[in-house]
Amino acid sequence: MEVNRFAIQIFMANMKKNKTVAIYLIAAIICLFLSACAINNSAIQTKKLIAESADGTRIAYGFSGQGETTLLFVHGWLCDHKIWQPQIDYFSSNYKVVWLDLAGHGSSETDRQKFTMSAFAQDVKSVYDKVGGEKIILVGHSMGGPIVIETARLLGKKVVGIVAVDAFYTPLASVPEEAKMAFLEKLKKDYPSALEETVRSMFAQSANPDLVNSTYQNMLAADYKMGISSLYECIKWNSQKEPSELKTFSGKLYNINGAPKGDEKALHNSVVLISGVGHFLPQVKAEEFNAALETVIEKIQSSLKNTHNPALNRTQGATGSQMKLFSQLAPCAG
């Protein structure tokens, strides 16, 4: 112990004699430390940038990874890109992964007057215009489902697949528009308590209470005016456009939904179910969701290969079996 202390004293004395060496040494240590943090934290490596939407709204976005296929993640009502962090981390090793905060959400501007699904789609397009790509798979959670459908119309053949996450073919689809509008009025009158009730209904009973509470607080912090406007516009889209749009994009659309009780049945043959989770499956059951999404991506890529080579078996590349289902009430789970 005394020898070590003596060595340290000699080292410090030498450093005092040569301050320049000391400064360089300290700087080198700091650089090594920061480099190690960056290597171990993929979120830090993600680039954060700004795109300008069609109406001039500044949209925060970022991307990480690289690959022939681009995965573009679109969050849902009152959320932001952070809901996708487990997916950003996981898929960036094999794909170019792109995320954004829709107008009025997260770090993006909130000056828009009407938050329609088509206006949100312009946000997504503005980000695509920055990052580019010839093979785009759009992934939309909740309200992000209608938004990626609208985006697919804007981007055309560049979109090779659409993945809706707890957005379509859920029990909420059978709820009359009048009931949804009644909820909207309830939200206007008592926003905090109505929102809390709704958020809690989006989770399975087994969900971590801390995650439920933090999700509610994050959603409550979003812009109120945007929340009311976007929910109204989403309800309109569901009742007026959803049936026809699901038919139009049936060849490209895949659905991953939650099954909170575990005994739910898929409401459509395009639905993959994840058991024991409610509306926020990308967060709550990230590993199972990532596996399901990876299987869907493989199917999309296989179908592209078969398009170029019709002789191939059209089922080639499909891995895994369909998991069991869900559908928890959510404001725009369609």
Side-chain angles (χ1 to χ4, degrees):
M1 193 66 158
E2 289 299 322
V3 173
N4 289 342
R5 187 177 300 152
F6 180 68
I8 292 171
Q9 288 174 347
I10 294 175
F11 174 78
M12 293 304 296
N14 288 332
M15 289 300 98
K16 288 180 180 178
K17 290 180 181 178
N18 194 334
K19 293 183 179 179
T20 302
V21 173
I23 290 171
Y24 278 117
L25 181 60
I26 292 170
I29 292 171
I30 292 173
C31 287
L32 285 171
F33 175 76
L34 292 176
S35 297
C37 289
I39 290 170
N40 291 314
N41 190 340
S42 60
I44 292 175
Q45 292 178 311
T46 301
K47 298 177 182 179
K48 296 182 180 179
L49 303 163
I50 295 294
E52 188 171 297
S53 194
D55 62 359
T57 301
R58 289 167 61 82
I59 303 299
Y61 76 98
F63 63 90
S64 60
Q66 56 185 350
E68 184 180 353
T69 301
T70 298
L71 309 182
L72 205 166
F73 289 92
V74 180
H75 64 78
W77 187 61
L78 302 183
C79 297
D80 59 33
H81 77 276
K82 290 189 290 294
I83 188 177
W84 298 115
Q85 195 60 56
Q87 288 67 52
I88 294 170
D89 294 340
Y90 180 82
F91 287 101
S92 292
S93 59
N94 294 313
Y95 304 94
K96 184 175 184 178
V97 174
V98 182
W99 55 261
L100 75 153
D101 290 340
L102 297 166
H105 298 76
S107 299
S108 293
E109 291 183 346
T110 62
D111 295 336
R112 185 172 293 162
Q113 296 303 308
K114 289 181 66 177
F115 292 85
T116 64
M117 301 303 102
S118 57
F120 282 134
Q122 291 289 350
D123 300 344
V124 182
K125 181 180 182 298
S126 72
V127 170
Y128 166 79
D129 289 342
K130 291 287 188 179
V131 301
E134 294 299 317
K135 295 180 181 179
I136 310 295
I137 297 177
L138 299 170
V139 186
H141 175 246
S142 190
M143 184 180 75
I147 294 168
V148 295
I149 292 289
E150 291 288 335
T151 304
R153 284 202 168 277
L154 297 175
L155 299 184
K157 293 182 179 180
K158 295 184 186 299
V159 176
V160 297
I162 303 169
V163 185
V165 182
D166 221 58
F168 305 124
Y169 303 113
T170 75
L172 191 61
S174 62
V175 175
E177 181 179 353
E178 295 77 13
K180 295 178 182 179
M181 287 299 183
F183 167 77
L184 181 62
E185 291 303 315
K186 181 179 179 181
L187 198 64
K188 289 178 181 178
K189 292 176 182 178
D190 191 358
Y191 190 75
S193 62
L195 179 61
E196 181 175 14
E197 179 184 346
T198 301
V199 172
R200 294 191 182 282
S201 76
M202 296 177 184
F203 288 88
Q205 291 184 349
S206 59
N208 184 328
D210 291 337
L211 177 59
V212 177
N213 290 332
S214 64
T215 301
Y216 164 64
Q217 293 298 331
N218 290 338
M219 293 176 72
L220 183 63
D223 183 73
Y224 167 82
K225 187 185 82 168
M226 177 279 300
I228 297 298
S229 173
S230 60
L231 179 55
Y232 172 74
E233 296 294 340
C234 189
I235 292 171
K236 278 176 52 182
W237 192 97
N238 287 147
S239 62
Q240 297 174 10
K241 300 187 72 173
E242 179 178 324
S244 61
E245 295 290 53
L246 293 186
K247 290 180 181 178
T248 299
F249 289 96
S250 61
K252 291 184 177 182
L253 178 62
Y254 299 79
N255 297 274
I256 305 176
N257 294 348
K261 295 179 181 178
D263 59 357
E264 292 87 346
K265 303 297 182 184
L267 300 180
H268 190 266
N269 59 15
S270 67
V271 175
V272 172
L273 293 173
I274 297 180
S275 180
V277 62
H279 191 55
F280 291 95
L281 38 149
Q283 290 175 296
V284 177
K285 288 206 170 183
E287 289 187 9
E288 289 185 41
F289 176 81
N290 289 346
L293 180 55
E294 195 155 38
T295 296
V296 168
I297 293 169
E298 290 172 4
K299 290 180 179 179
I300 293 170
Q301 292 177 326
S302 177
S303 69
L304 291 176
K305 292 177 183 177
N306 293 336
T307 299
H308 295 298
N309 187 353
L312 291 175
N313 187 325
R314 298 195 64 82
T315 61
Q316 181 182 355
T319 62
S321 59
Q322 274 203 340
M323 304 173 207
K324 294 196 172 168
L325 162 248
F326 155 69
S327 109
Q328 187 81 354
L329 268 178
C332 196

